[in-house]
Amino acid sequence: MRGADMDGSGDRRKMATAYRRSFATLCAGTIETMLDMAFRRVGEGPARHLDVGCGTGELAVASARRGSDVVAVDPDRYMVAATQESAREAGQRVKVRQAAAPVLPFADGGFDVVTANFVVNHAADPRTTVQDLARVTADGGCVVMTIWPAEAGPHLAAYGEAASAAGAVAVPSTKLASALDFPRSVEGLAMLAEQAGLHVTHGDEVHWAWNTTADDLMGGIAAGIATPGRIHRAQTQPVRDDIERRVRRRWATHAVGDRLAFPVSAPIVCASRE
């Protein structure tokens, strides 16, 4: 019964649309830093670039604008469609496939640059994921990765405070088992790269201001995105309404005109295959 959305495709499509307006703009804050790191390593000019976990395609399109031959992959077919749409709108050629690490459907050493923007922190097995990124990287090429740090950003911390004050019911933890987890820091991400046989050439934190609106951010959460989204969807409607009232007041402390500006940061690592 497609009309009844028995496979959940309607929700997934709405989530992709909401993500593009909300958290995709947050993740885009690292793009130019990632590409600058990559191309300092491999040199400017045409490069074979694989973007893993492409989301709605902003990083892939930005690399294509620099002249790269870009292949972008994501496990979600609606994100694949969103990346295709982003490339068409930008007038850029990007090959897009539905796929994910640690089973990337590419030959060993096929790419000069491999990027994973906020992917490793979502992986069920971070080590095998990074090993697969290293596997498809050519000799002399590099892998550039970002993750979210252990400490929640102010936009998420505010939601957690609001949910607690509203008496929200808890949701099951998605924290990895200790045998699979890693420190959510520059050092932790660098460790994964080194364990995968890569040589870390740069590790740091990137800082930026995320400009968004309360409506777009709340729309992403209401669609079920990230941990706040999981929490929000688990509540009754009155509790959701209470959380939203409370969190909007907290977010307002970051208002700049009619928009919000959140200071955020993320570990970033560039590692080469020697």
Side-chain angles (χ1 to χ4, degrees):
M1 293 176 62
R2 303 299 297 180
D5 191 28
M6 295 299 288
D7 66 352
S9 60
D11 281 349
R12 296 300 302 173
R13 188 181 297 110
K14 290 176 184 177
M15 186 180 289
T17 300
Y19 176 80
R20 189 174 190 179
R21 293 182 56 187
S22 58
F23 291 96
T25 67
L26 169 61
C27 296
T30 60
I31 287 174
E32 292 306 317
T33 301
M34 293 181 77
L35 292 178
D36 286 347
M37 280 188 183
F39 289 106
R40 274 199 301 269
R41 183 65 192 173
V42 302
E44 295 292 341
R48 300 167 298 168
H49 178 188
L50 174 64
D51 184 35
V52 178
C54 58
T56 49
E58 288 77 11
L59 195 160
V61 168
S63 184
R65 285 197 179 105
R66 294 189 180 210
S68 301
D69 181 11
V70 184
V71 177
V73 300
D74 198 280
D76 189 306
R77 64 188 175 111
Y78 294 108
M79 293 299 184
V80 168
T83 295
Q84 291 169 332
E85 182 180 359
S86 295
R88 284 195 302 270
E89 290 175 352
Q92 299 296 325
R93 185 172 181 270
V94 176
K95 304 182 188 80
V96 193
R97 296 181 60 173
Q98 186 175 358
V103 286
L104 291 167
F106 305 109
D108 295 359
F111 297 93
D112 306 305
V113 172
V114 177
T115 51
N117 195 23
F118 304 112
V119 170
V120 177
N121 48 276
H122 293 301
D125 188 336
R127 285 169 178 78
T128 59
T129 294
V130 176
Q131 288 165 6
D132 206 30
L133 303 181
R135 178 187 64 79
V136 298
T137 304
D139 290 344
C142 66
V143 177
V144 185
M145 304 176 286
T146 58
I147 56 170
W148 293 118
E151 184 176 352
H155 55 296
L156 300 183
Y159 182 89
E161 293 165 1
S164 178
V169 298
V171 296
S173 173
T174 58
K175 185 175 175 62
L176 294 176
S178 58
L180 294 173
D181 209 354
F182 68 101
R184 304 305 172 99
S185 62
V186 174
E187 293 76 16
L189 188 56
M191 175 191 71
L192 294 186
E194 290 167 350
Q195 289 177 348
L198 298 170
H199 171 65
V200 175
T201 59
H202 189 88
D204 204 349
E205 282 198 349
V206 56
H207 300 264
W208 72 104
W210 177 35
N211 289 285
T212 185
T213 68
D215 287 346
D216 284 345
L217 178 49
M218 196 65 232
I221 291 171
I225 298 168
T227 298
R230 293 177 56 245
I231 295 170
H232 208 72
R233 296 290 287 268
Q235 311 308 313
T236 63
Q237 191 59 52
V239 174
R240 291 178 191 172
D241 292 342
D242 191 15
I243 293 172
E244 181 169 350
R245 285 191 295 269
R246 293 172 184 273
V247 77
R248 282 178 179 268
R249 288 198 295 270
R250 285 169 168 80
W251 287 340
T253 62
H254 294 277
V256 178
D258 61 352
R259 296 181 67 81
L260 304 174
F262 294 107
V264 289
S265 63
I268 185 168
V269 162
C270 179
S272 65
R273 186 178 181 92
E274 302 294 347

